[in-house]
Amino acid sequence: MYQTTPLRPRNISDFGMRKLCMSTKDNKLFRVATLVVAALLVISLTSEISNTQQRSSGLFSYESGVNLAGFPASHHRSEILASDDSTASAGGSSSSASHFPHIAQFLKAANAFHIHNSVSSPSIDEQIGLTFTQNFNSLAYNVTAIEQNDSADYGPAYLLNGLSNEGYWYQVGISWHWPYENGGYVNGFALNYEAFNPSGSSIFPSNGGGGIANFTGSINNGDTVLLNLYFSSGNVTFSAYDWNTSASASESYSAEGATLFAGLTNEFANSNGYFSGLMTEQYQANDYYGGEERVLYSDPATPVSSAWMWIDEFNATSRQLVFGGSTPSPVNYGSNPNRLHHYSLEGANAASNAYEFLTGTKPIVFLTFDYSTQDDSIPTVPPLLSYLSAGIPQFANLTNTPESYEMDYDSAWSLTGSVSANQAWFTNDTSGIAISNQTISALYYHVYNVTFDFNVLLGGTGYSSPWVQYSFEGLESNTTAGSGKAVWADSESPYSFESDLAGSTNSSYERWLANFPSGNVTAGGNITATYFHQYYITISTGSSSLNNSSLVSPLSGWYNSSASISISEKNYTGWQPEGWSGSGEGSYSGSSSSATVNVSSPLSETAIYYPGLTISAESGGSVSYKFGSVSGTVTAGTTNTIYVPTGTSVSLSSNPSSFLYSFTGWEGGLGMSKSIEAQSIVINSPVILTAAFSYNYLVLSIIGAIAVIVALSVLMIILRSRRGA
């Protein structure tokens, strides 16, 4: 590789002090004269800067997506936290005055490069740049290689710049037709590189000027080239890699102990004109005011939090500032990293977001517009389109028929709505940026201005205002009813109040319920929901063995406050109604099977049912029973049913009618012992129980045996009597 000397970034304070086209044989007298001239130039330049800074500049914004090629992991720039004083950490002195970046140096020698002659020497240098505010361990950006040149065929350099935390400055980039100091230029694309010390002097390459090197292969117009500055083994590596052709070039120079590239938070260049960031720089043969083609720098992997955008132009011979300016402060990308922010000055343009930096002019694009409404209504005032064409504001009323409009590339357009009385027409397509030919069919939503309200009947306290859901521009929205705030709601769209109000101390037993909580928006004005104060009434039989729905009336549920409810209980086989047991204000407790209760609080009414114990005594015996103070007997051959409170223990005893009968067992009575004559049973549900009796065959056998013996004895007596006669 052959090293030459490109143009070096600049600092206002040293204009006139840099050597441009100086011979190495300059004598001391010439150096003194140069210093005198430099002093005069500094004074003149200070006045020029003051005047130049009065020039107008603008900052604009728009949304943009990111869809860019990625980098190899080793070439990603890794972000670290910025210091409190980035300028100080970078080794340069901070100043409230603006310092414009360094001018890259002209090439001095031609050796390995083919020189193309040019009619005029380069005299004007324009720079469009982006200065990072963050610190980075390494820097890597893709850039589009664009072949562009002025009338003398001089082209630009696309540069990645790194200001180290030791105050050294490193540049790497690609250039097209980069000029020599006395005219002529390097043909085609080449690698540009240079390093500067903290004193503002170029130290690499060693000839005191910019370096230029060949790539290993071709770089073609439109190729994407990766520019990279990174620390490795105590050095800073300058490298470039063409993703399309795999051509590459690299150089290396000492890092001088540095470990990071510093951002600047207080100004876009330090007192030496150094910064970390991106720059498109182009020398011209004549005064130049914009006109660059679009160039894209991008890093989709690591977003930048904020950055300065700036533009300047200098006379390359006298180092006088022609014009210059920057954004008033760093542009913050944090809230919307994909949104493009624009900066323009004297016909030159720049744009950036967290991932991209663009330089170049804006072509014309064609956008076609028409509109429709979601309910086929007609706005009282047609939608108004505002846009820029040739930099002049233009306005047009849209119709239902598509129509094309010529707009400046990257310029903003907007659509207005139509508002009339209690209705309006709004669209989500309110604005955009003209970046490509496209058709936009704006959908306008016919909306009404409505106020959602509510009222409560039948009293109560502690409730909260309900939420209301509705639709605005096709999206679900919500508001608080009763606030008095009017909102826009889509025509014919549904709305819905909360079905019940929050706020009861016991929401399981008290509520405020809306009778008609939903509907459709059909006009402007008030939409009111009415809520009824209700309490929950629990009506049950108190036993899981009974079917509530068939035995009690009405069923458990919510009832309006102050309502009167008639309760009743029905007969059920095996059970006997015994009245009600109630709790709560207005409840009923008593033996009547029907009653009326007044709803003024949560109530509980339990229908009382006694399960029946049916006792049957077969012939030959009886059954006696007792529970509490109640006792009785079921005689032989009869059946009797007694009703007892659930859970009652009943004592039972079987009693044979005479010695001729005996107890043979209990039939029925779950859990009873069949053979025990006297025992107890707990009644939780209806029970049918039978005491079985039979003859006492043992007794009868004994009686029979005795009868036989007696009979035989009588017979023997009779026989003996006959013999004695």
Side-chain angles (χ1 to χ4, degrees), residues 251-286:
E251 294 289 342
S252 180
Y253 186 73
S254 172
E256 302 295 346
T259 58
L260 60 85
F261 297 110
L264 299 175
T265 57
N266 297 324
E267 54 189 351
F268 57 90
N270 71 6
S271 59
N272 285 323
Y274 301 167
F275 66 98
S276 294
L278 304 165
M279 178 170 64
T280 295
E281 182 171 14
Q282 183 165 4
Y283 277 84
Q284 310 285 335
N286 302 296

Side-chain angles (χ1 to χ4, degrees), residues 11 117 155 254 299 407 429 497:
N11 169 6
N117 292 324
S254 172
D299 176 5
M407 300 184 184
D429 300 312
F497 288 79

Side-chain angles (χ1 to χ4, degrees), residues 352-691:
S352 64
N353 60 26
Y355 304 96
E356 301 171 310
F357 177 53
L358 300 95
T359 61
T361 57
K362 304 175 183 177
I364 294 297
V365 295
F366 292 88
L367 272 69
T368 301
F369 285 85
D370 69 312
Y371 83 95
S372 61
T373 59
Q374 103 281 12
D375 62 352
D376 296 326
S377 60
I378 299 176
T380 54
V381 178
L384 180 67
L385 171 66
S386 303
Y387 63 99
L388 288 177
S389 182
I392 301 173
Q394 302 288 325
F395 306 94
N397 288 323
L398 297 190
T399 68
N400 293 326
T401 302
E403 186 172 348
S404 293
Y405 302 90
E406 184 179 272
M407 300 184 184
D408 291 345
Y409 177 82
D410 259 359
S411 66
W413 58 263
S414 64
L415 289 173
T416 62
S418 173
V419 180
S420 175
N422 281 338
Q423 63 179 331
W425 286 262
F426 297 137
T427 181
N428 289 321
D429 300 312
T430 55
S431 62
I433 299 297
I435 58 174
S436 63
N437 297 338
Q438 59 181 306
T439 297
I440 298 174
S441 296
L443 175 61
Y444 275 79
Y445 288 89
H446 182 202
V447 296
Y448 287 110
N449 191 255
V450 298
T451 301
F452 292 102
D453 203 354
F454 77 103
N455 57 40
V456 173
L457 297 182
L458 307 178
T461 59
Y463 52 80
S464 302
S465 299
W467 282 95
V468 185
Q469 289 186 331
Y470 63 97
S471 177
F472 174 63
E473 293 187 353
L475 300 176
E476 185 177 287
S477 301
N478 58 66
T479 187
T480 302
S483 65
K485 178 184 177 181
V487 298
W488 293 106
D490 293 343
S491 168
E492 302 301 331
S493 67
Y495 66 83
S496 177
F497 288 79
E498 285 184 290
S499 60
D500 54 356
L501 304 180
S504 172
T505 55
N506 190 342
S507 58
S508 297
Y509 296 99
E510 182 183 24
R511 73 179 183 182
W512 291 265
L513 183 70
N515 55 345
F516 297 107
S518 60
N520 289 333
V521 177
T522 57
N526 287 348
I527 298 177
T528 302
T530 298
Y531 288 81
F532 290 87
H533 187 203
Q534 296 182 333
Y535 291 107
Y536 192 81
I537 309 303
T538 302
I539 302 175
S540 67
T541 60
S543 173
S544 60
S545 301
L546 296 177
N547 187 337
N548 291 5
S549 62
S550 64
L551 295 180
V552 294
S553 176
L555 299 178
S556 297
W558 291 97
Y559 294 89
N560 288 343
S561 176
S562 302
S564 295
I565 302 175
S566 295
I567 58 175
S568 62
E569 55 183 346
K570 302 175 183 178
N571 292 326
Y572 189 61
T573 302
W575 300 79
Q576 179 171 284
E578 294 288 340
W580 295 87
S581 175
S583 63
E585 184 179 347
S587 64
Y588 168 77
S589 294
S591 60
S592 177
S593 62
S594 61
T596 299
V597 297
N598 295 316
V599 180
S600 57
S601 70
L603 299 179
S604 177
E605 290 288 350
T606 302
I608 301 172
Y609 281 84
Y610 286 180
L613 173 58
T614 301
I615 305 172
S616 297
E618 292 182 350
S619 298
S622 62
V623 177
S624 59
Y625 59 86
K626 183 178 181 180
F627 60 94
S629 60
V630 179
S631 61
T633 300
V634 180
T635 60
T638 65
T639 297
N640 189 22
T641 299
I642 59 174
Y643 294 92
V644 300
T646 302
T648 297
S649 177
V650 179
S651 298
L652 300 171
S653 178
S654 61
N655 305 302
S657 299
S658 68
F659 69 91
L660 296 177
Y661 293 92
S662 64
F663 174 71
T664 59
W666 299 99
E667 297 177 359
L670 185 64
M672 291 184 65
S673 175
K674 286 191 173 186
S675 60
I676 299 176
E677 296 179 358
Q679 56 184 302
S680 297
I681 182 173
V682 177
I683 307 301
N684 289 310
S685 60
V687 175
I688 299 175
L689 184 64
T690 300

